[in-house]
Amino acid sequence: MVVRDDVHDPEPEFGQVLVQVKACGICGSDLHFAKHGATMLALGQEMEGMPDLGRVQPDLGRDIFMGHEFSAEVLEVGPDTIGPKPGTIVTSIPAMLTLTGVKDLVYSNDLPAGYSERMLLSAPMLLEVPNGLGFDRAALTEPMAVGFHAVNRSGIEPGAGALVLGCGPVGLAVVAALQVRGVAPIVASDYSPARRALAHRMGAHVAVDPAEEQAFDVWAREGGGRPLVAFEAIGVPGIIDEALRSAPPQARIVVVGVCMERDAITPFFAIGKELNLQFVLGYDPMEFEATLRSIAEGEVDVEPMITGRVGLDGVPDAFRALATPDQHCKILVTP
Amino acid sequence: MVVRDDVHDPEPEFGQVLVQVKACGICGSDLHFAKHGATMLALGQEMEGMPDLGRVQPDLGRDIFMGHEFSAEVLEVGPDTIGPKPGTIVTSIPAMLTLTGVKDLVYSNDLPAGYSERMLLSAPMLLEVPNGLGFDRAALTEPMAVGFHAVNRSGIEPGAGALVLGCGPVGLAVVAALQVRGVAPIVASDYSPARRALAHRMGAHVAVDPAEEQAFDVWAREGGGRPLVAFEAIGVPGIIDEALRSAPPQARIVVVGVCMERDAITPFFAIGKELNLQFVLGYDPMEFEATLRSIAEGEVDVEPMITGRVGLDGVPDAFRALATPDQHCKILVTP
C-alpha cells in the first residue's frame, strides 16, 4: 500500500462532477481485497451466470484506487451537466455511469476513489446529504445500506426475531436496520466487549459473549418461540456450518459475511431442520437513499460506530489497526 | 442384509391396526442407510436444536426393519379402535403414534416395517386408497409426497420456471409435482437416457444430458428470462457447489437430494449472485394425503416409474440392482 501525491486532479466531463472527499470509511472488504485480491478475481472469473454490465476486472499488477464509503463536497460540475451547486455535501453509490458500462469505484486502476483528495462522481447518482447531517456520519451511508439490504432481502416477517452473529460494521448495520424495522428481540453476539456495547447502542436487546454461552442457546431462551432469522456477519470458514449445526428447525440464515475461501458444510444438518440460506450482497440505489434518509432523520445514530479518524497518510496504519478488531469499528479517512 | 422368517406376527393393540403389506418401494435412503447408517446416526447426535418427540435412534448392533413406502390391506383392527374394515387397501405416513412418542417406521429395531409380510399401523394415520387405485401405485404415495413437499416449500411463484438436477425417484417426484402445479418450462437433467425418458413422461418439457450440455446453460436458453427455482435431487458431494457456480443471479436452489457427507462450497459464488439455498426433507400429513389424491385422480401417472417387482427374498438382489441406477427407477417389494 502506498500513499501517492502524484495523481493529477481529474477533469469532470459531461455527466460528471468533481468532488473533494470529506470523509471515507475503511471497509473490511478493502482489507480482504488487500489480502485475497487474486483469489477474489479468480473466483469471479470461475463464476458463471453473471450478466455482463461492461465491468472490467482490475489489474493487480498496477496501482489500485480504493475507498467506497465516502461523503464529499461538490467542487465543479462538468460541461452541460445538471448537478448540485459547488459547496453541496453529497454522497453516492460507489459506481460511475459511462457509455461503455458501469465502472465500480471500489477497486479501480483508473478512477480515483474515496481514499483520495478529489474524485469524479456521476451527476445522476449523487444524493444531496439532507438535514445538515455531518459529512462524517453521511460517509456511513454505504456500510449501513449493506445492513438495510440484508434485512430487506431476508423478508423477516412481523413476529419473527433476529440473531446477529458478529458485531463488526456489517453486523452492527444489520442490528441498526432491524431496530428501525421494529424487530424484537434482536440478539447479537461477539467476543469483543466493545463491540457488544456498540451492538446495544445500535439497538440489540441482548448481546452475547459466545465464549460464555452459545448464541443459538441464548436465542432459544430469549426468542420466546418466535421464528428466527439469523444473520451471519462474520465471514470466516466454518461459521456457516456452525450455524447449520446449531440453528433451530425452519430457521433462515442470511449470509452477509463474505467468506473468500472455500468452506465445508454438513448438508445433513440443514436438511434435517429444513434450514434456508440466503446469501446477500450490497444494496440497490433505493436502499442506499433510504439508508441516508434514515441516518439523517435520526432513526439510526451512527456516531458511536466511528472509532477513529486519520488523514490520507494514516491509511496504512489504520489498515493495520483494523486487523485487531477489538479496538476499532469504523475508521474514517478525512483528507 | 438378511431375510428373516422367524418374526412373529404382531398383535394390534388399542389404536393399532394389523395390515398385510401389499407393496413396498425400495427407497434410495435405505441404500444410503445401509452404507452410511453410522454416519447418519452420529450426525443426528451432533445436530442441535431439534425438538424431542420421543424418537429413539435405532441400535445398529441389532436387526433393523426397513421399508417406508408401502400400501397394505387391513387384516385386523385393535380392541376398542376405530379403523377401516378388514380388506380395505390403505397407506400411511411411516410413523406410529404411541403414548411415549412418535415411532418412525423407517429404521426400527422393534417395529416391522414395509419389507415385511405383516406390520402394525396407527389407526388415526391410515388413509384409505381411493378410486380403486391399485396398491402398486398407492405405494408410490410416499416418494411422490417428497416431491410435492419440495415444490410447496420452494414457494415457486407463477411465472417462474424450474430446473431439476437428477432424475432418480426424488427428481421425478419433483418433476411430477411441478407438472401438477402447471410450472413451465420444466428442464430436467440426468446422464441416463432411461431416466431422461421417464422425466419426459412425468412432465419435463426438456431433458438434458449433462455430458452434452450443462443443465444451467440449457435453462438459460429455454427459460426465457423467467425467475429460476432449481431442485438439486442428486445428493452427492460437489453438486451444491456446482449449482452455486452455475446458477443465474437471484436463483433459488432447493436441496432435496440428501448428501450424507461433509461437502465443500464456495460462498463467494452464492454471495456474488445472491443465491438462496432451501434445504427440505419429507412432507407433512396434509401433503401426503394430497399426493395420494393426486395419484388416484390421475393427475400423476406413477406407473412408468415402477421398473421392477420382487418378493421379500429378492430384496438383497434388488438393493444391488439399484446401485447401478440406469437400469431401474422404483423396485416394488410385493410380499
Side-chain angles (χ1 to χ4, degrees), chain B:
Chain B
M1 179 175 297
V2 293
V3 177
R4 286 181 50 177
D5 54 10
D6 59 339
V7 179
H8 292 290
D9 274 357
E11 294 266 338
E13 298 180 0
F14 174 68
Q16 298 178 340
V17 169
L18 177 69
V19 300
Q20 174 154 24
V21 177
K22 300 296 284 183
C24 182
I26 298 178
C27 174
S29 67
D30 294 340
L31 279 76
H32 258 88
F33 190 81
K35 190 173 169 190
H36 300 291
T39 306
M40 285 169 66
L41 297 183
L43 287 173
Q45 293 288 349
E46 201 186 322
M47 180 162 69
E48 296 182 349
M50 291 293 282
D52 179 8
L53 295 176
R55 284 189 163 87
V56 178
Q57 296 255 39
D59 175 356
L60 294 181
R62 295 168 54 203
D63 283 350
I64 291 183
F65 296 104
M66 296 203 281
H68 58 271
E69 307 177 352
F70 47 78
S71 60
E73 180 180 336
V74 174
L75 294 180
E76 185 185 345
V77 176
D80 304 322
T81 300
I82 297 170
K85 278 187 305 198
T88 309
I89 303 295
V90 295
T91 183
S92 167
I93 282 189
M96 291 281 284
L97 302 178
T98 81
L99 295 181
T100 56
V102 175
K103 292 205 161 55
D104 291 324
L105 293 170
V106 183
Y107 316 114
S108 168
N109 291 122
D110 307 307
L111 296 165
Y115 305 149
S116 310
E117 291 185 344
R118 296 184 186 82
M119 64 190 290
L120 295 174
L121 291 173
S122 279
M125 310 284 276
L126 292 184
L127 294 174
E128 195 167 326
V129 173
N131 286 10
L133 181 71
F135 50 73
D136 279 7
R137 286 187 282 173
L140 268 81
T141 304
E142 204 276 351
M144 300 311 282
V146 171
F148 276 68
H149 172 69
V151 172
N152 287 343
R153 198 73 178 75
S154 77
I156 190 167
E157 56 275 75
L163 174 62
V164 182
L165 304 171
C167 299
V170 171
L172 293 173
V174 170
V175 168
L178 290 165
Q179 176 264 124
V180 169
R181 200 179 267 238
V183 172
I186 304 167
V187 178
S189 89
D190 201 293
Y191 286 100
S192 152
R195 291 187 160 195
R196 290 199 300 276
L198 272 176
H200 274 301
R201 292 195 63 176
M202 302 311 289
H205 303 96
V206 181
V208 187
D209 180 355
E212 299 204 340
E213 193 172 5
Q214 218 251 49
F216 282 96
D217 290 343
V218 176
W219 165 261
R221 195 175 61 232
E222 302 285 342
R226 289 176 183 79
L228 170 63
V229 181
F231 295 81
E232 190 291 277
I234 301 175
V236 300
I239 293 294
I240 294 175
D241 198 48
E242 177 55 29
L244 298 179
R245 194 181 67 80
S246 307
Q250 310 290 334
R252 301 208 297 282
I253 300 165
V254 180
V255 180
V256 209
V258 180
C259 172
M260 284 298 158
E261 295 150 74
R262 280 172 74 76
D263 198 5
I265 63 168
T266 312
F268 184 87
F269 296 150
I271 293 162
K273 296 184 285 189
E274 296 211 312
L275 302 178
N276 184 283
L277 278 176
Q278 175 67 57
F279 296 85
V280 301
L281 180 72
Y283 41 75
D284 68 30
M286 285 185 298
E287 288 170 329
F288 191 91
E289 186 166 6
T291 304
L292 175 61
R293 196 175 303 124
S294 194
I295 296 171
E297 290 179 3
E299 291 180 338
V300 175
D301 179 11
V302 294
E303 188 64 39
M305 290 176 65
I306 304 170
T307 55
R309 288 174 175 81
V310 296
L312 277 173
D313 52 4
V315 172
D317 278 344
F319 265 56
R320 278 187 284 274
L322 286 167
T324 52
D326 192 25
Q327 296 170 1
H328 278 292
C329 179
K330 186 59 73 182
I331 297 179
L332 292 185
V333 184
T334 50

Side-chain angles (χ1 to χ4, degrees), chain A residues 37-334:
Chain A
T39 307
M40 285 169 67
L41 296 183
L43 288 173
Q45 294 288 350
E46 202 186 322
M47 180 162 70
E48 296 182 350
M50 291 295 280
D52 179 7
L53 296 175
R55 284 188 163 88
V56 179
Q57 296 254 37
D59 175 356
L60 293 182
R62 297 167 52 204
D63 283 350
I64 292 181
F65 296 103
M66 296 204 282
H68 58 272
E69 307 177 352
F70 47 79
S71 60
E73 180 181 336
V74 174
L75 294 180
E76 185 185 345
V77 176
D80 303 323
T81 301
I82 297 170
K85 278 188 303 197
T88 309
I89 302 294
V90 295
T91 183
S92 167
I93 283 190
M96 291 280 284
L97 302 178
T98 79
L99 295 181
T100 56
V102 175
K103 292 206 161 54
D104 290 325
L105 292 170
V106 183
Y107 316 113
S108 170
N109 290 122
D110 307 308
L111 296 165
Y115 304 149
S116 311
E117 290 184 345
R118 297 184 184 83
M119 64 189 290
L120 296 174
L121 292 172
S122 280
M125 311 283 275
L126 292 184
L127 294 173
E128 195 168 325
V129 173
N131 284 9
L133 180 71
F135 51 73
D136 279 7
R137 285 187 282 172
L140 269 82
T141 304
E142 204 276 351
M144 301 311 283
V146 171
F148 277 68
H149 172 69
V151 171
N152 287 344
R153 197 74 179 72
S154 77
I156 190 167
E157 56 274 73
L163 175 62
V164 182
L165 305 171
C167 300
V170 170
L172 293 173
V174 170
V175 168
L178 290 164
Q179 175 264 124
V180 169
R181 200 179 267 240
V183 172
I186 303 168
V187 178
S189 88
D190 201 293
Y191 286 99
S192 151
R195 291 187 158 194
R196 291 198 299 277
L198 272 177
H200 274 301
R201 291 195 64 177
M202 302 310 290
H205 303 97
V206 181
V208 187
D209 180 356
E212 298 204 340
E213 193 172 6
Q214 218 251 47
F216 283 95
D217 290 344
V218 177
W219 166 260
R221 196 176 61 231
E222 301 286 340
R226 289 176 183 80
L228 171 62
V229 181
F231 295 81
E232 190 291 278
I234 300 174
V236 300
I239 293 293
I240 294 175
D241 198 48
E242 177 54 30
L244 297 179
R245 194 181 69 79
S246 306
Q250 310 293 331
R252 300 206 300 282
I253 300 165
V254 180
V255 180
V256 208
V258 179
C259 171
M260 285 297 155
E261 294 150 75
R262 280 173 73 78
D263 198 6
I265 64 167
T266 312
F268 184 88
F269 297 149
I271 293 163
K273 296 185 284 189
E274 295 211 312
L275 302 178
N276 185 283
L277 278 176
Q278 174 67 57
F279 296 85
V280 300
L281 180 71
Y283 41 77
D284 69 29
M286 286 184 297
E287 288 169 330
F288 191 91
E289 187 167 4
T291 304
L292 174 61
R293 195 175 303 123
S294 194
I295 297 171
E297 290 178 2
E299 291 179 341
V300 175
D301 179 10
V302 294
E303 189 64 38
M305 291 176 65
I306 304 170
T307 55
R309 288 173 175 83
V310 296
L312 277 173
D313 53 2
V315 172
D317 278 345
F319 266 56
R320 278 188 283 275
L322 286 166
T324 52
D326 193 24
Q327 295 170 359
H328 278 291
C329 179
K330 186 58 75 183
I331 297 179
L332 291 185
V333 184
T334 49

